[in-house]
Amino acid sequence: MNTAGHSKAMAPRGLELNPFRGLRYDPDRVGSLAAVTSPPYDVVVRPDGLHHLQSADPHNIVRLILPEAATPEARNAQAAETLRRWRSEGVLTADPEPGLYVYEQRDGDGMVQRGIIGLLRVSDPDEHLVLPHEDVMAHIVADRADLMRATSANLEPLLLTYRGEGSATATSELIERAAERRPLLATTTEDGFHHRLWSVTDPAGLAAVREELAGQQALIADGHHRWATYRRLRAEHPSPGPWDHGLVLLVDTARYPLRVRAIHRLLHRLPVADAVAALDGHFRVRRLDVPLSGAMDALAGAASAGNAFLLAGDGAFHLVDRPDPELTARTVPVDRPVAWRTLDATVLHATLLDHVWRIPDSPAHIAYIHDTAATVEKAERDGGTAVLMHPVHEDVVRDLAREGVTMPRKSTSFGPKPASGLVLRALDL
């Protein structure tokens, strides 16, 4: 039974979150649930992290979300065959009835995040229901679309946020009641996060959530490329049908605030010495012979006063701040709000990458990496330049999104992100 087939004419004006039959690992068929999970596909630092996850368990989800083969076509065919085989062998099994899934993440510092995983109706931008805050790269959307077509599955949920009332609501009460029950699964991943999952199937609870979310607007916290992929695939397939909906995790940040971290850049072909030399007369540059933690503290202090970046890759750190106002006025587009024009990511791309360093924004020249230490290590190993960023405040992200203004791609990293591999969605269920 496909629970996601609703005509566009009948679609509500707000968010529509539908139950589905989740596809989950049989814990008796794998080494451990933790060993088959992975961070989202774009967080895995290739190839180190990919190979580490592959060796954790022969059924690790990276074999589906990041298959390895000689060509893109072979990779996608391999993922499709792997998924088919795991389902036929009972490694992945479907839950007996459709439900929404309450998902909880905890860390050792007392942080708790809870949200609901379900199938969200894919809406058009002019409906202003799902707000992006970053641009996407066409080749990544095409790659994810090819994988989803080949597997006929949503292999990992997007992370979306909305702002509830901050007090008890039907959705929050449903989440709290579910969290008092025995979970479908509980596991602790190697990053120290504890994960628990519950299924909610009672009609009254599902109806209450549906009614409440119909009045909400969501911000894409993580998964811009996959949301763009959902939109592309919905346009390619007849409606109503399973492609009208996509797998998401919805979190009410009034109750469970997310952490916002920066996404760093690795410039493959630019040595640090050349990067620093090119900044002469354009930015202030100070060398810091301190550990990474001290350098990041210095970056935070400088960022509170204006645009600032940290360069690394030669064994030291170089704090870059105080851009020449005439240079930024000449290079940063003026057709956007001031909040956008003064973003670190805007100045990095419009001024530094495009004008000073003249580096194209392509995978051959730039990698986007979430982990700070990993970015520095790869720059030092490969002879490139790590550009470390300071995070943007969530309110800035949301306000720009509501104005319809997207930030430069990979400007923020919201978290914690849902672990991939805890619940999947097959379109034929």
Side-chain angles (χ1 to χ4, degrees), residues 267 269 349 353-354 357-366 368:
L267 312 182
R269 304 180 183 182
H349 284 262
L353 294 175
D354 292 352
W357 292 328
R358 300 188 181 278
I359 295 176
D361 191 358
S362 69
H365 292 86
I366 303 176
Y368 293 84

Side-chain angles (χ1 to χ4, degrees), residues 69-120:
T71 66
E73 294 78 15
R75 288 197 296 269
N76 295 327
Q78 177 180 293
E81 170 56 23
T82 299
L83 178 59
R84 185 205 63 76
R85 187 176 72 254
W86 288 357
R87 291 180 67 180
S88 67
E89 293 173 350
V91 173
L92 289 168
T93 60
D95 284 329
E97 57 181 320
L100 296 175
Y101 293 84
V102 172
Y103 176 44
E104 176 191 270
Q105 293 164 281
R106 289 178 179 266
D107 69 5
D109 298 326
M111 188 283 305
V112 179
Q113 177 177 291
R114 291 175 178 156
I116 295 185
I117 297 175
L119 302 187
L120 187 69

Side-chain angles (χ1 to χ4, degrees), residues 181-195:
R181 296 190 278 112
R182 182 188 176 115
L184 291 175
L185 64 84
T187 190
T188 301
T189 45
E190 66 178 8
D191 58 6
F193 272 90
H194 308 287
H195 307 263

Side-chain angles (χ1 to χ4, degrees), residues 256-277:
Y256 300 105
L258 270 64
R259 296 168 175 168
V260 186
R261 292 192 170 97
I263 301 177
H264 310 296
R265 277 68 168 157
L266 175 62
L267 312 182
H268 298 298
R269 304 180 183 182
L270 181 67
V272 176
D274 294 348
V276 170

Side-chain angles (χ1 to χ4, degrees), residues 318-339:
H318 306 268
L319 184 60
V320 177
D321 64 356
R322 297 188 184 179
D324 175 7
E326 292 185 3
L327 175 64
T328 54
R330 190 169 72 250
T331 55
V332 174
V334 296
D335 59 345
R336 307 284 181 91
V338 172

